[in-house]
């Protein structure tokens, strides 16, 4: 596996990246919207120290 581009880490050893995801709804708390509710599902989320430890083909 290989990847290129930006990531969640930088060169400062005092900082760490973190995972953050969810449903984006602009102005949800500052203005009324036409949507009363939204539903989001997350499936097959895994945390590990290597790809091999979270590989869905193996687990």
């Amino acid at each position: 596996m290989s990847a290129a581009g930006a990531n969640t880490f930088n060169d400062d050893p005092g900082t760490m990246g973190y995972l953050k995801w969810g449903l984006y709804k602009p102005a949800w708390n500052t203005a009324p919207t036409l949507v009363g509710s939204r539903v989001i599902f997350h499936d097959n989320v895994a945390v590990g120290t290597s790809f091999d430890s979270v590989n869905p083909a193996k687990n």
Side-chain angles (χ1 to χ4, degrees):
M1 180 175 143
S2 65
N7 59 45
T8 61
F9 296 98
N10 63 33
D11 294 332
D12 182 355
T15 63
M16 298 291 291
Y18 63 94
L19 179 63
K20 181 178 178 180
W21 76 89
L23 180 66
Y24 179 70
K25 183 179 179 189
W28 69 271
N29 65 347
T30 60
T33 64
L34 297 176
V35 178
S37 66
R38 294 183 180 205
V39 177
I40 187 167
F41 297 93
H42 300 282
D43 188 17
N44 202 20
V45 176
V47 177
T49 58
S50 69
F51 178 74
D52 195 50
S53 69
V54 297
N55 184 350
K58 290 185 169 188
N59 299 315

